[in-house]
Amino acid sequence: MGPTDEWFHGQLKELSEDECLELLASKQVGRLVYVDQDGPLAVPVNYVLDGGTVLFRTSPHTSLGRYARSGAALEVDEIDDYTQSGWSVLLRGPAEFVDPDDLPASSERRPTPWPEGVRTLHLRIRPLSVTGRRLLPG
Amino acid sequence: MGPTDEWFHGQLKELSEDECLELLASKQVGRLVYVDQDGPLAVPVNYVLDGGTVLFRTSPHTSLGRYARSGAALEVDEIDDYTQSGWSVLLRGPAEFVDPDDLPASSERRPTPWPEGVRTLHLRIRPLSVTGRRLLPG
């Protein structure tokens, strides 16, 4: 790779936690990252923010329900292939089961999974860290 | 949630491995999933397919370079918030360091990281599994 290629490369800029939470609030879908018996994996989930935490739902029979309590993360991003720029936010922390009584009172503030099926298990991530980066166009 | 809400939920359909590889070939950016000292995480990377494997580049000083050899996955998706539908593909397997001599001869078929900086470490995932799902509009 020559110097010419380098000219087109974008700069990475760390985001503040406030910026990260604002970006998380601007989206509905992220990737839930966890580890099952075969190693690390990520699956799309739609989520809602509840205070500084993230709420989502799954089926009690998924590996997500079984394994995400040991350690998890939510990755959310928006990337433009054409300008090769965008941002990503990573919220890390174990997922915990949520008692239905502890859900937000308003149904609009509760997660409603997009796929059909019985997804009665509510999970919450209380983040241990929230970090993010913006990739500026080159 | 009442029965009315359920009507709008989409069906999940498993994709064949061929469909998954076709979808992977249609995109340039995915999320590299691995586990570091703080647990599971995912970061966007731009990748190229090389045969049935995935090539990407990073800096030798990143946690990605240090940890992804223990176990990794590449998650790629395309999701439409409006129709609440889309697809996701998950390619799982440990990442391995690639000798520069083993890279594809054509530079177009080699990965060129979008962010600036010294990313001299080439990594390859030889998948142990490639799976995917399509979420049909509800």
Side-chain angles (χ1 to χ4, degrees), chain A residues 40-51:
Chain A
L41 75 162
V43 291
V45 294
N46 58 300
Y47 65 89
V48 294
L49 285 181
D50 180 35

Side-chain angles (χ1 to χ4, degrees), chain B:
Chain B
M1 198 175 62
T4 315
D5 298 314
E6 291 285 1
W7 289 348
F8 296 102
H9 287 202
Q11 282 194 324
L12 278 176
K13 185 180 156 288
E14 298 292 326
L15 299 172
S16 71
E17 189 169 329
D18 281 351
E19 286 174 298
C20 290
L21 291 171
E22 216 168 279
L23 290 167
L24 285 175
S26 75
K27 304 286 270 187
Q28 301 179 68
V29 176
R31 290 104 207 151
L32 214 290
V33 187
Y34 63 105
V35 180
D36 74 6
Q37 73 280 359
D38 296 322
L41 75 161
V43 291
V45 295
N46 58 301
Y47 64 90
V48 294
L49 285 181
D50 180 36
T53 73
V54 165
L55 285 174
F56 57 99
R57 266 168 64 184
T58 188
S59 155
H61 310 297
T62 55
S63 78
L64 179 53
R66 276 203 301 281
Y67 291 100
R69 285 184 297 165
S70 314
L74 180 76
E75 192 271 351
V76 180
D77 63 42
E78 186 172 288
I79 290 163
D80 182 331
D81 285 4
Y82 183 70
T83 59
Q84 300 191 345
S85 62
W87 57 264
S88 69
V89 169
L90 186 68
L91 182 149
R92 304 181 76 174
E96 59 189 51
F97 292 164
V98 183
D99 190 305
D101 292 341
D102 295 334
L103 289 170
S106 155
S107 65
E108 281 172 23
R109 292 181 48 231
R110 299 181 184 191
T112 303
W114 291 357
E116 63 176 3
V118 180
R119 287 161 208 276
T120 51
L121 190 62
H122 286 80
L123 290 163
R124 184 193 303 275
I125 299 181
R126 292 183 196 275
L128 300 173
S129 72
V130 183
T131 55
R133 298 195 297 183
R134 192 180 287 282
L135 177 59
L136 304 173

Side-chain angles (χ1 to χ4, degrees), chain A residues 17-18 20-22 24 32 47-56 68 71-76 89-96 98 123-132, chain B residues 38 40:
Chain A
E17 189 169 328
D18 281 350
C20 290
L21 291 171
E22 217 168 280
L24 284 176
L32 213 291
Y47 65 89
V48 294
L49 285 181
D50 180 35
T53 74
V54 166
L55 285 175
F56 58 98
L74 180 76
E75 191 271 353
V76 179
V89 168
L90 185 69
L91 182 149
R92 304 181 76 173
E96 59 189 48
V98 183
L123 291 163
R124 185 194 302 274
I125 300 181
R126 293 183 196 278
L128 300 173
S129 73
V130 182
T131 55
Chain B
D38 296 322

